[in-house]
Amino acid sequence: MKPRLINILSRLDNTLRWTGIPARVADEMSDAPSVDRKRRPLRWTPIWPMAFSCALFILSLTWPSALDRVPLGGVIVTMTFSQAGIIVWLVQLIHQRGPLGKPSWEDDEREASLRKDSFLFCLGLLACLNCLGQPFVLILSHRQNWQTLHIASVAMSAFLLNVTLFASLPTLYASWNLRQLPKE
């Protein structure tokens, strides 16, 4: 039998397989839990601060009678510290790690594109929500003759909702659109 001729590309492929890099890449991109995996997509973590912020916004819109007995400064301080105390550590965790759960300088082309798309989605959705929500709240406050206290509480909760959505939506979008390869 003649020995099989091995061309230069086959030798390079064999050399690359010998280094173990293809196995590492396949392990990093798979859904299977690994011992040395550093980062995982944050799929459910961003939902908690968004749920708290939405609940606070809906509560300030629908239940203004609870605020009648409290002075204006007390409402602003209480809302700020209660909401900020609950959300700050979640938003900080999510925003510091980025939408993909890692710093941007470690991204490849696919992850950089996903990061860009997630921020564009977030900004587009926030622009639509604010363009539709602000006139709605303005008309609602004018028609129902809201007091200054109610307007301040709605404005503060809307601001906290915007901050929370700006910090959490890119992570939520990127973590659910990050394609994982099956472990083979």
Side-chain angles (χ1 to χ4, degrees), residues 3 35 46-47 50 63 68-69 78-79 88 92 95 105-106 111 117 121 126 136 138 141 151 161 165 175 184:
V35 177
I47 292 177
M50 289 191 297
W63 197 32
D68 288 342
R69 296 171 295 221
T78 304
M79 286 182 60
V88 160
Q92 184 177 10
H95 195 65
W105 61 81
E106 297 178 9
E111 291 170 342
D117 290 345
F121 171 78
L126 280 175
F136 173 73
L138 180 70
S141 69
I151 294 171
L161 179 63
L165 290 177
S175 65
E184 295 177 339

Side-chain angles (χ1 to χ4, degrees), residues 31 73 125 127 142 165 170:
D31 274 332
L125 186 65
H142 182 67
L165 290 177

Side-chain angles (χ1 to χ4, degrees), residues 70-133:
V70 182
L72 177 61
V75 168
I76 293 174
V77 169
T78 304
M79 286 182 60
T80 302
F81 286 116
S82 65
Q83 184 69 8
I86 293 170
I87 289 180
V88 160
W89 68 273
L90 283 174
V91 169
Q92 184 177 10
L93 168 81
I94 293 166
H95 195 65
Q96 281 184 348
R97 293 181 65 194
L100 299 174
K102 65 180 187 173
S104 63
W105 61 81
E106 297 178 9
D107 287 351
D108 59 4
E109 293 86 9
R110 177 181 61 92
E111 291 170 342
S113 173
L114 184 60
R115 186 180 297 266
K116 178 191 66 141
D117 290 345
S118 67
F119 279 112
L120 289 176
F121 171 78
C122 170
L123 292 175
L125 186 65
L126 280 175
C128 289
L129 287 176
N130 284 317
C131 286
L132 296 175

